[in-house]
Amino acid sequence: MKKRVAILIVSHSFLLVFGFALGIYLLPILTAPKAPDKNFIINESNKAVYKTEFIRDLDGSDLLHYGDGEVFLEKDKISFVGKLAPGPDYRLYLTKSFAQNEEEFLKIKMDSLYVGDVKTFTNFTVSSKVNLPLENYNSLIVWCESFNEFITSAKYK
């Protein structure tokens, strides 16, 4: 009898933890707003001051933390056509030096410029109410603020 109760406690605890983790992963996907149209972003890309790419094969990227696609930087917005691994609380930063993992970004985070929140995982546009000082920075990073997780980065100059 005690063995059966122990098995039930362990199995139910495992399912509870698994369900909670799955909820954390799925909630941002289910609540994400509609992604901007890829064709609209590409048509607007001729206004970009800089263009770069997020690639999957960075030191800090893995199966659950990656970005893959083109990035267009303008004075008042940064747009992306591609795919990000879904997750909660993504933020976009401009950085003065290229970082490709958590440790490198945490060293320079205080000197980085927070641009805005990333709310979609297929294409995004993050707008700024003021002109972005793109010339003062050379890279950008998508960072998961909730879990201090590196998602992706790219150097634009």
Side-chain angles (χ1 to χ4, degrees):
M1 180 77 168
K2 289 182 182 181
K3 184 178 178 182
R4 188 174 187 191
V5 171
I7 290 172
L8 285 174
I9 290 172
V10 169
S11 66
H12 283 72
S13 298
F14 172 77
L15 288 175
L16 180 67
V17 169
F18 178 75
F20 181 75
L22 188 62
I24 287 174
Y25 180 77
L26 289 177
L27 186 62
I29 298 169
L30 297 173
T31 60
K34 186 176 185 290
D37 182 60
K38 174 183 176 179
N39 293 327
F40 178 76
I41 293 173
I42 291 172
N43 288 339
E44 293 285 308
S45 69
N46 62 343
K47 298 176 186 174
V49 178
Y50 297 101
K51 294 179 184 182
T52 189
E53 286 183 62
F54 289 142
I55 59 170
R56 283 184 182 245
D57 299 331
L58 296 174
D59 182 38
S61 296
D62 57 34
L63 181 64
L64 298 175
H65 309 98
Y66 65 86
D68 190 18
E70 292 182 286
V71 184
F72 308 99
L73 294 91
E74 299 177 41
K75 280 293 195 180
D76 62 343
K77 69 181 174 183
I78 298 174
S79 300
F80 168 70
V81 173
K83 185 173 182 189
L84 294 174
D89 201 18
Y90 283 6
R91 301 207 177 152
L92 183 66
Y93 290 90
L94 293 175
T95 61
K96 293 182 178 180
S97 59
F98 181 65
Q100 63 176 336
N101 59 47
E102 288 91 359
E103 295 81 23
E104 291 175 2
F105 179 64
L106 288 172
K107 290 177 186 174
I108 61 171
K109 186 176 180 186
M110 295 303 293
D111 296 325
S112 301
L113 177 66
Y114 167 70
V115 178
D117 294 343
V118 175
K119 301 199 181 276
T120 57
F121 310 109
T122 303
N123 309 336
F124 68 72
T125 297
V126 177
S127 298
S128 175
K129 294 180 181 173
V130 297
N131 279 344
L132 297 169
L134 299 175
E135 63 282 351
N136 296 341
Y137 298 88
N138 72 6
S139 302
L140 66 156
I141 187 168
V142 177
W143 178 255
C144 175
E145 198 69 33
S146 295
F147 296 106
N148 279 341
E149 280 291 335
F150 173 87
I151 305 304
T152 191
S153 64
K155 191 169 188 172
Y156 63 85
K157 67 174 189 172

